[in-house]
Amino acid sequence: MDAMDKKIEKKGIPRKYIWYFLFGALLLAVLGVIIFGDKSSKYNVDVSRITIEEVKEDVFQDYITVQGTVEPITTIFLDAVERGRVEEILIEEGNMVKAGDVILRISNDNLLLEITNNEAQVVRAINELRTARLQMDQTKLSYKQQIINLEMTVIQNKRMYENNKVLRSQDHISREEFDQSREAYESSEELLELLLENYRNDSIYRSIQISSLEVSVSSMEESMRIIRRRLDNLNIKASVDGELASLNPEIGEVISYGARVGTINILDSYKLRVDIDEHYIARITRGLNGECDFASTPYTGIITKIYPEVQNGRFAVDMVFTEDVPAQIRIGQTSRIRLQLGESKEGVLLTKGGFYQTTGGQWVFVLDPSEEFAV
């Protein structure tokens, strides 16, 4: 540059400072949003997919709606009390039965063999008892004959001894003859006492033997009666009047002891088996009332039994009708039940929905008047 040239100074803010300024402003804006911005979460949802209800003051009826299934008031189970093979089915399921009706017959050869052996043992014991009684009578008769003969001998020896005593006092007989008569009398008396004692002991022994045999025979006869009742158990019978609801075995099938062969429903009345969410388990007690509809007619019921088991988050109760029973009711039929949990009272009401399971009733979304968002 020569002396004639002149340096031209640039006017304004340099470009690089402008970029610094813009970057700083952007950074401040980001920090402002982070510090002072709305941190609440947001979720966009289609209005048609949500339920909107109005909060209002009204009478609060504390009840829940549950589903009940009709069951017979009582179900009687038919169990096999003997093992055996099904030979004949006399009544098919679905038919009405009377108490004592034979439903099916089973066979058990081992039981028949056991009965035969037991009968033989009973006959043997009865024969032993009869023999023991006969021997006792014969022995008793023999002892009585011996006692009679010995008593006669004692009487004769006593009479001779008494006579010889008089004769000896008059010196008409010798001392030896007198002593012999006395010794004969005394020995015959001792033999009589010994015979009587043996007779008493033998009678006691025979009586004990007879009593023992009688107890044994009585026990075996009772055992025989029990086994014969077991034989009668091969005919499975209805224990009550009702409907044969189910019958499981088939002809030719071998069923074991205690196997469930069927059920009988007593149709005098009906009950409702109700499944309830475990959330209400602390509020459900016996005596709670409920109302259900059958053929558009309301019927009332009361809880009579609560089952303690909770399965899949639900527990069961039984309800019976407190007044009339629906005329056309059928087993397996279902009905919605309004179960009253408490007395009605005034309060701020909100329709219960799916949110209650998620929030536990602690909070709900409130729709803004603009109906654009909810908080």
Side-chain angles (χ1 to χ4, degrees), residues 182-200:
R182 178 176 56 80
E183 291 170 352
Y185 167 62
E186 291 176 350
S187 63
S188 62
E189 273 195 330
E190 291 178 357
L191 287 175
L192 179 60
E193 291 179 0
L194 181 61
L195 182 62
L196 290 173
E197 183 177 357
N198 287 338
Y199 173 66
R200 287 192 295 269

Side-chain angles (χ1 to χ4, degrees), residues 28 40 65 98 132 163 189 193 202 271 275 299 308 311 341:
L28 289 175
S40 61
T65 302
K98 295 287 186 180
N163 291 334
E189 273 195 330
E193 291 179 0
D202 185 77
K271 65 182 179 180
D275 288 332
Y299 294 90
Q311 298 180 351
L341 299 180

Side-chain angles (χ1 to χ4, degrees), residues 27 58 101 131 185 222 231 259 329 340 355:
L27 182 60
D58 201 348
D101 288 349
T131 301
Y185 167 62
E222 179 63 26
L231 184 63
I329 194 171
Q340 192 75 28
F355 73 91

Side-chain angles (χ1 to χ4, degrees), residues 17-33:
Y17 292 112
I18 296 175
W19 287 108
Y20 292 155
F21 175 77
L22 292 176
F23 180 75
L26 179 61
L27 182 60
L28 289 175
V30 172
L31 290 175
V33 171

Side-chain angles (χ1 to χ4, degrees), residues 135-153 192 195-200 202-203:
Q135 290 177 350
M136 181 178 180
D137 292 340
Q138 291 175 347
T139 303
K140 184 177 181 180
L141 180 61
S142 175
Y143 269 111
K144 284 186 175 181
Q145 290 175 346
Q146 295 179 43
I147 290 171
I148 291 172
N149 293 333
L150 196 53
E151 285 177 342
M152 181 63 66
T153 301
L192 179 60
L195 182 62
L196 290 173
E197 183 177 357
N198 287 338
Y199 173 66
R200 287 192 295 269
D202 185 77
S203 297

Side-chain angles (χ1 to χ4, degrees), residues 63-81:
Y63 71 89
I64 57 175
T65 302
V66 291
Q67 192 83 4
T69 303
V70 178
E71 293 185 353
I73 192 67
T74 305
T75 297
I76 305 298
F77 296 103
L78 295 175
D79 294 338
V81 294

Side-chain angles (χ1 to χ4, degrees), residues 285-319:
T285 59
R286 292 185 181 182
L288 284 182
N289 293 317
E291 186 178 89
C292 58
D293 291 330
F294 285 92
S296 301
T297 303
Y299 294 90
T300 58
I302 187 174
I303 292 179
T304 57
K305 183 176 181 180
I306 301 174
Y307 295 87
E309 300 87 0
V310 177
Q311 298 180 351
N312 300 323
R314 306 186 72 82
F315 67 100
V317 302
D318 283 346
M319 294 187 67

Side-chain angles (χ1 to χ4, degrees), residues 101-309:
D101 288 349
V102 178
I103 297 174
L104 59 87
R105 291 192 176 97
I106 60 178
S107 61
N108 188 329
D109 293 338
N110 291 332
L111 180 59
L112 295 176
L113 181 61
E114 183 178 350
I115 291 176
T116 302
N117 292 336
N118 189 269
E119 286 178 341
Q121 293 176 2
V122 171
V123 171
R124 190 179 303 114
I126 291 175
N127 288 335
E128 290 178 359
L129 176 61
R130 188 178 293 115
T131 301
R133 283 174 174 168
L134 180 61
Q135 290 177 350
M136 181 178 180
D137 292 340
Q138 291 175 347
T139 303
K140 184 177 181 180
L141 180 61
S142 175
Y143 269 111
K144 284 186 175 181
Q145 290 175 346
Q146 295 179 43
I147 290 171
I148 291 172
N149 293 333
L150 196 53
E151 285 177 342
M152 181 63 66
T153 301
V154 169
I155 293 173
Q156 292 173 353
N157 290 339
K158 183 179 180 180
R159 183 173 59 250
M160 183 175 291
Y161 167 67
E162 295 292 340
N163 291 334
N164 288 343
K165 184 187 292 186
V166 175
L167 294 175
R168 175 59 187 163
S169 63
Q170 298 174 359
D171 292 331
H172 292 307
I173 59 173
S174 65
R175 178 76 182 182
E176 179 66 21
E177 188 175 359
F178 171 73
D179 289 341
Q180 287 180 355
S181 64
R182 178 176 56 80
E183 291 170 352
Y185 167 62
E186 291 176 350
S187 63
S188 62
E189 273 195 330
E190 291 178 357
L191 287 175
L192 179 60
E193 291 179 0
L194 181 61
L195 182 62
L196 290 173
E197 183 177 357
N198 287 338
Y199 173 66
R200 287 192 295 269
N201 292 336
D202 185 77
S203 297
I204 293 173
Y205 167 75
R206 297 286 180 180
S207 298
I208 294 174
Q209 182 185 22
I210 295 297
S211 298
S212 177
L213 288 173
E214 288 176 343
V215 170
S216 177
V217 170
S218 177
S219 176
M220 295 182 71
E221 288 177 341
E222 179 63 26
S223 175
M224 187 64 199
R225 284 191 289 270
I226 294 175
I227 293 180
R228 287 193 176 279
R229 285 200 297 269
R230 290 181 59 191
L231 184 63
D232 187 59
N233 289 335
L234 295 178
N235 295 326
I236 298 181
K237 302 176 182 179
S239 55
V240 294
D241 297 349
E243 178 189 36
L244 184 60
S246 64
L247 189 63
N248 304 323
E250 300 291 340
I251 293 179
E253 179 181 352
V254 176
I255 56 178
S256 59
Y257 172 81
R260 179 66 45 78
V261 298
T263 56
I264 297 177
N265 291 334
I266 299 178
L267 303 181
D268 296 342
S269 186
Y270 298 88
K271 65 182 179 180
L272 293 169
R273 176 66 60 86
V274 184
D275 288 332
I276 304 175
D277 192 286
E278 63 177 331
H279 174 77
Y280 302 100
I281 194 169
R283 303 188 63 189
I284 301 299
T285 59
R286 292 185 181 182
L288 284 182
N289 293 317
E291 186 178 89
C292 58
D293 291 330
F294 285 92
S296 301
T297 303
Y299 294 90
T300 58
I302 187 174
I303 292 179
T304 57
K305 183 176 181 180
I306 301 174
Y307 295 87
E309 300 87 0

